[in-house]
Amino acid sequence: MSTLLVLALIATVVLVLYWALRRCRLARYEADRRTEIARAARARRLAEVRINHLAQSALEQMIEVAQRDRFNTPPSR
């Protein structure tokens, strides 16, 4: 009877260790996934800032050219 109890105890310890390792592995995977999502979101935000800056610069240049052309053209009759 004691041999059976020892085997059951060993099996229980092995199952608990397996469960704990599996949980740690899943937690690490989830943390890596969240880190990657955050990295992608940051890259997207930086790209949006760059695009907005370029668009703003382009608009300012177009306004500049339009104003320059408006004041440099001879009046129409």
Side-chain angles (χ1 to χ4, degrees):
M1 182 69 177
S2 69
T3 305
L4 190 57
L5 187 60
V6 169
L7 288 176
L9 185 60
I10 290 172
T12 302
V13 168
V14 168
L15 285 174
V16 167
L17 287 175
Y18 171 76
W19 178 79
L21 287 173
R22 188 165 186 260
R23 294 284 294 181
C24 288
R25 203 177 283 155
L26 288 174
R28 194 173 347 138
Y29 170 77
E30 184 65 25
D32 289 347
R33 190 178 72 81
R34 276 191 244 122
T35 301
E36 189 58 36
I37 289 170
R39 188 178 295 131
R42 183 176 185 274
R44 186 182 68 243
R45 284 192 308 271
L46 288 174
E48 288 173 355
V49 167
R50 285 187 200 113
I51 289 170
N52 288 341
H53 178 69
L54 289 172
Q56 183 66 34
S57 295
L59 285 172
E60 289 171 1
Q61 288 175 1
M62 286 188 283
I63 290 170
E64 228 177 83
V65 168
Q67 288 176 346
R68 196 175 1 165
D69 286 348
R70 190 175 83 193
F71 293 123
N72 287 339
T73 56
S76 59
R77 295 185 181 186

